[in-house]
Amino acid sequence: MQELKPSSPVDVVDRYIGRLYRSALSVPPEGFRAWALDELRQVVEFDGALWGSGSLPRWQFHTVAMVGLPEEFPRALEQTHEINPIVPRILANLGAPVDMRSVMPDARFFRSEIYEQCFKRFDISRILSTLHLDPRSGLYSLLTLYRKDRKQVFSEQDRQRQQRATFHLFNAASHAFFLHLMRTPTDRPAESAAAAIDREGMFHEAQPRFLEMLEKYFPGRAPYTLPFALPPKGETTLVNGLCIRCEPLADFNYVFIWPAGALDRLTQREREIVYAVAHGLSFKQAARRIGIAPSTVANHLYRIYRKLGVCSRSELAGLVYPTAP
């Protein structure tokens, strides 16, 4: 196996990092990880690679992307993590690639329980693994490269290249995930922050702003999980001054949160009336548009004035369109 050499003055890792960010929108989000792993071959040669993400308390993968490995491999890895000597080492050296050779000499590794139960059956001899962890969400991202030939050990250059590449690999994937999400039309304000949550309320992906708002509005919350129940799909609820909206996404839920404004404290029907009246419609016109009686519009509007602390239509319009002349 030959050492990879850049074909231009630009470093191979820098070129790879540039492709990651430039391709955030051109590569579909569901295929971004597999694409990025395949591109990583141009930085460090490998026979197989695994990129898994999950929640720290359970050490189970939420998502897995692989290159050159069979489908059953992640399950085997999960089942043997307690006897895998590289796990405590990568936990103690977050962000730094760890070579199995530095954890266990070959003479011991190739006779070890972890080798016999897991790696031998998949013809894996060389392992270079990196773990990143977000302590606020409990989300971890694991990247491990594998080689089959015992003679093809990972070099110090391989380790350095992997260390430089993986930080941007994980960040570019999260960036692409939320970039695609924010381009999807949904009923949420521009200042909202998002997270992807699994069925048990554990984080899958989370924007930093999402976690910052949780810390602000729910101080002392339990780590790694949401401090509130999810609202019904497609509905918005108000909890502790935060608006919360939930939308389905395959096996996950998109959760959007944003600081509640005055209009967020109104019911859906009340908001319909507010927007109709703020557009200058009369009671009759608003009632016709919404499909209710004019007297119902008037009664709702009286309660709305009291909730929002306004006394006229012009003040109400000022809340809806604060920048309008």
Side-chain angles (χ1 to χ4, degrees):
M1 192 176 293
Q2 297 179 347
E3 285 289 337
L4 297 178
K5 296 181 179 180
S7 57
S8 73
V10 181
D11 183 82
V12 291
V13 181
D14 291 336
R15 293 206 308 271
Y16 174 69
I17 292 170
R19 288 197 302 275
L20 288 177
Y21 291 108
R22 288 195 304 270
S23 304
L25 284 176
S26 61
V27 178
E30 63 273 13
F32 186 88
R33 294 186 176 212
W35 169 84
L37 274 185
D38 197 51
E39 290 287 303
L40 187 60
R41 289 183 185 276
Q42 300 180 42
V43 178
V44 180
E45 287 192 25
F46 55 81
D47 297 309
L50 177 143
W51 178 358
S53 298
S55 295
L56 186 59
R58 294 182 296 179
W59 272 107
Q60 292 179 340
F61 297 126
H62 289 164
T63 58
V64 177
M66 294 186 297
V67 173
L69 294 169
E71 292 183 1
E72 62 270 22
F73 179 70
R75 181 61 176 163
L77 202 61
E78 289 176 338
Q79 291 176 335
T80 55
H81 84 269
E82 292 185 352
I83 61 171
N84 192 338
I86 207 170
V87 171
R89 182 67 66 86
I90 59 177
L91 277 170
N93 296 272
L94 296 175
V98 176
D99 192 325
M100 181 65 86
R101 290 189 307 149
S102 68
V103 178
M104 182 180 289
D106 285 354
R108 287 178 52 202
F109 173 66
F110 292 116
R111 294 196 306 267
S112 67
E113 185 179 8
I114 183 63
Y115 178 72
E116 292 293 333
Q117 291 191 19
C118 183
F119 298 118
K120 183 178 181 179
R121 56 190 279 210
F122 299 106
D123 196 23
I124 290 173
S125 298
R126 299 300 173 194
I127 304 164
L128 187 63
S129 189
T130 307
L131 183 75
H132 282 252
L133 175 67
D134 185 334
R136 296 182 300 178
S137 66
L139 280 171
Y140 69 80
S141 293
L142 174 71
L143 175 69
T144 306
L145 305 182
Y146 303 101
R147 289 175 178 169
K148 295 181 178 182
D149 190 344
R150 295 188 185 188
K151 297 179 181 178
Q152 299 299 330
V153 299
F154 286 104
S155 66
E156 177 59 23
Q157 183 187 61
D158 293 331
R159 194 194 68 78
Q160 292 177 2
R161 286 181 171 181
Q162 181 171 331
Q163 182 164 8
R164 289 176 57 200
T166 49
F167 173 82
H168 295 280
L169 183 70
F170 299 147
N171 279 277
S174 183
H175 171 70
F177 183 87
F178 286 110
L179 196 59
H180 280 274
L181 172 62
M182 292 307 170
R183 287 166 60 95
T184 305
T186 53
D187 184 14
R188 63 178 186 270
E191 67 271 17
S192 65
I197 308 295
D198 69 13
R199 293 175 179 176
E200 298 180 28
M202 306 295 288
F203 288 100
H204 167 66
E205 290 275 5
Q207 291 180 307
R209 192 166 74 256
F210 186 98
L211 299 172
E212 290 166 3
M213 278 196 269
L214 289 189
E215 293 169 355
K216 177 180 178 180
Y217 288 87
F218 297 91
R221 69 181 179 91
Y224 311 143
T225 58
L226 291 176
F228 47 76
L230 292 179
K233 305 295 190 300
E235 295 185 14
T236 301
T237 58
L238 184 64
V239 181
N240 280 26
L242 274 184
C243 286
I244 302 161
R245 185 172 180 83
C246 178
E247 297 174 3
L249 170 70
D251 293 332
F252 299 95
N253 294 304
Y254 277 138
V255 180
F256 302 93
I257 60 175
W258 63 91
L263 298 180
D264 291 314
R265 304 177 190 279
L266 302 179
T267 66
Q268 180 63 33
R269 174 51 53 83
E270 288 172 339
R271 283 197 293 271
E272 289 176 341
I273 293 172
V274 165
Y275 284 110
V277 172
H279 276 89
L281 300 183
S282 67
F283 284 1
K284 287 185 178 181
Q285 291 170 326
R288 191 178 304 115
R289 170 184 287 189
I290 298 170
I292 57 178
S295 59
T296 304
V297 173
N299 291 334
H300 272 298
L301 198 59
Y302 173 74
R303 289 193 293 271
I304 291 168
Y305 279 6
R306 295 188 62 182
K307 277 188 178 182
L308 301 182
V310 299
C311 302
S312 66
R313 289 188 177 211
S314 60
E315 288 185 74
L316 189 62
L319 287 176
V320 179
Y321 304 108
T323 60

